[in-house]
């Protein structure tokens, strides 16, 4: 299910990057020596299909804007 609020993303949230590739948040790693959490994205379409990449919250917020429902 997609988290449509502006709070922190959750596991399973859907993302679409700037090129239109689709991915899901598959892991959130709490910071030990980092200032923010790392969000691991499992890509289901596009160039990185099948790969997992790590990103900071700023990128995740930008990408979740692409899939939020407006009512």
């Amino acid at each position: 299910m997609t988290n449509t609020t502006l709070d922190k993303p959750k596991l399973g949230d859907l993302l679409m990057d700037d090129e239109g590739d689709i991915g899901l948040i598959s892991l959130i790693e709490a910071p030990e020596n980092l200032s923010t959490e790392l969000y691991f994205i499992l890509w289901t379409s596009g160039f990185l299909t099948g790969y997992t990449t790590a990103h900071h919250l700023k990128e995740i917020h930008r990408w979740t804007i692409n899939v939020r429902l407006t009512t």
Side-chain angles (χ1 to χ4, degrees), residues 4 7 12-13 18 21 37 40 45 51 55 58-59 64-65:
T4 57
D7 58 351
D13 280 358
D18 300 327
D21 300 340
E37 290 113 355
F40 290 83
S45 72
Y51 287 94
H55 302 274
K58 184 176 181 178
E59 282 183 301
T64 56
I65 287 171

Side-chain angles (χ1 to χ4, degrees), residues 1-10 12-14 64 67-68:
M1 172 161 292
T2 301
N3 178 15
T4 57
T5 62
L6 297 176
D7 58 351
K8 288 190 176 186
K10 297 182 177 125
D13 280 358
L14 184 66
T64 56
V67 294
R68 287 193 191 124

Side-chain angles (χ1 to χ4, degrees), residues 19-59:
E19 285 80 39
D21 300 340
I22 302 294
L24 299 167
I25 297 177
S26 60
L27 176 70
I28 301 171
E29 185 174 293
E32 282 187 21
N33 297 327
L34 301 172
S35 59
T36 62
E37 290 113 355
L38 282 177
Y39 292 84
F40 290 83
I41 308 305
L42 174 61
W43 296 102
T44 58
S45 72
F47 182 72
L48 292 173
T49 300
Y51 287 94
T52 301
T53 57
H55 302 274
H56 290 283
L57 185 59
K58 184 176 181 178
E59 282 183 301

